[in-house]
Amino acid sequence: MAVDAEHATASGRTGPQRSHREIADELRRRIRTGRLRPGERMPTQARLADEFGVERGAVRQALRILQSEHLLTNMTKGSPAIVAADPVRALTGPAAPPLPTTVALAPRIAAAFAASHVEIDALCLTSISLTLAIGEPLRQIHAGRMKPAKVDVRVLLPSRDIDLAFPTPVDATAAAPLRRRWLAQRNAQGQVLRHNLLALRATHGIDVRVTFRALPFTPPVKLYLLNGAEALYAYYTLRLREEEIDHEPLELYDAEGTQSVLFAFEQGAGARDTTFVEQSHLWFNALWETISSELTLTG
């Protein structure tokens, strides 16, 4: 039987082709989690092409992306690249490029947990990105590699009592099931985040406070403030898509927050960055202390 050329690979495998950006995302994840260690030589392009089932050109494009992010060095012909000596700094430093939340947030949260007093403020649609990102420092704490004395986390989320701007169905009559699903996700992610952090009290004696408050509007952006020194900012970009809700196809306008590109601003990196961090704190605190209200993660 003939193989569809679109799904055939150089190695003879079949299946959906992975793009060079998907390959870069996977290799970046391996660097971030330590599976590929600082100073380690990367696998050859031929080996990576075989692993991912793609042509070498796609691998080369992926490696160039990581080189542009300062995660790889020594990219020369005939010799595999080398993982940068300090990849965490490349992902979190002031020269780091804007990256999707799933890539950029975790190493920055992990770096924030190296402080004695960790302070994290977040404004978002749900806390899924924050919940995922905090997984890495929690693993580091449980492994005994870090132990902050105090952790304060404040999260602003949309109120259950408002009409959400998004996600919203194209047909307004179908709003109820979509709203129920969003509320369930908001509550579940918040409960997991709170449980995982408060557990540090019993397991490691860390002073932890986790507080949620409700906003009377749908935030068009997401914002993370880390230890008073860094602000991470991203736009929620809406798109039309179809999804199955309660076993029925539904057209809706929604934003994939985990893929929103984060822009980093660091206090002390220049007047522009410092001002942005300071103003972001003033804005967050004003929302927290004025128009937000008590939020319960139930119902």
Side-chain angles (χ1 to χ4, degrees):
M1 182 175 65
V3 176
D4 185 344
E6 182 182 354
H7 296 89
T9 68
S11 61
R13 296 179 183 176
T14 61
Q17 283 275 10
R18 299 187 73 169
S19 72
H20 66 280
R21 295 192 181 279
E22 290 174 320
I23 296 169
D25 289 344
E26 171 58 23
L27 294 176
R28 191 189 298 108
R29 185 190 66 79
R30 295 178 188 180
I31 292 172
R32 189 184 73 221
T33 59
R35 182 174 169 185
L36 289 169
R37 297 183 298 276
E40 181 179 347
R41 195 172 292 278
M42 293 286 290
T44 64
Q45 291 183 15
R47 183 174 171 184
L48 289 171
D50 182 66
E51 175 186 349
F52 291 107
V54 297
E55 301 285 351
R56 288 196 194 183
V59 171
R60 283 194 293 271
Q61 286 179 285
L63 295 177
R64 288 193 195 105
I65 290 174
L66 300 185
Q67 182 187 35
S68 72
E69 296 170 3
H70 309 293
L71 292 174
L72 297 179
T73 62
N74 196 41
M75 276 193 62
T76 58
K77 280 190 175 182
S79 178
I82 295 174
V83 179
D86 192 356
V88 171
R89 180 64 180 168
L91 284 167
T92 63
L99 296 168
T101 302
T102 48
V103 176
L105 187 58
R108 284 180 160 89
I109 294 289
F113 266 78
S116 175
H117 183 188
V118 181
E119 295 179 278
I120 297 175
D121 292 336
L123 178 149
C124 40
L125 186 65
T126 69
S127 57
I128 183 170
S129 294
L130 182 60
T131 302
L132 291 172
I134 278 181
E136 179 57 28
L138 291 181
R139 285 188 288 272
Q140 297 284 344
I141 291 172
H142 292 310
R145 289 191 283 270
M146 61 170 59
K147 185 181 178 181
K150 188 175 182 181
V151 177
D152 284 310
V153 176
R154 300 189 299 174
V155 184
L156 285 170
L157 298 170
S159 168
R160 60 167 297 168
D161 299 323
I162 65 171
D163 292 327
L164 289 172
F166 63 91
T168 187
V170 174
D171 179 2
T173 62
L178 184 60
R179 178 184 178 78
R180 285 195 299 270
R181 192 194 63 167
W182 167 80
L183 185 60
Q185 289 177 337
R186 187 205 71 170
N187 291 344
Q189 292 298 328
Q191 288 168 356
V192 170
L193 177 65
R194 183 172 61 189
H195 171 80
N196 289 347
L197 285 169
L198 292 181
L200 296 176
R201 288 178 178 173
T203 58
H204 294 83
I206 298 173
D207 181 10
V208 178
R209 288 186 298 178
V210 185
T211 314
F212 295 85
R213 287 187 68 80
L215 290 170
F217 62 89
T218 309
V221 298
K222 57 166 57 180
L223 176 69
Y224 305 97
L225 303 171
L226 310 181
N227 292 348
E230 189 172 21
L232 306 174
Y233 183 92
Y235 296 100
Y236 283 117
T237 302
L238 299 185
R239 65 184 181 91
L240 176 65
R241 63 188 181 88
E242 185 177 290
E243 189 168 329
E244 188 174 288
I245 307 292
D246 290 349
H247 309 292
E248 294 290 338
L250 180 68
E251 280 194 321
L252 67 149
Y253 296 108
D254 199 6
E256 293 185 358
T258 56
Q259 296 303 311
S260 298
V261 174
L262 279 181
F263 294 86
F265 299 85
E266 189 172 335
Q267 195 155 33
R272 175 177 170 275
D273 276 41
T274 296
T275 301
F276 188 89
V277 173
E278 291 173 350
Q279 290 299 312
S280 295
H281 274 282
L282 288 173
W283 185 61
F284 185 96
N285 286 332
L287 292 175
W288 188 270
E289 295 165 4
T290 59
I291 61 174
S292 67
S293 57
E294 183 179 354
L295 185 149
T296 58
L297 295 169
T298 57

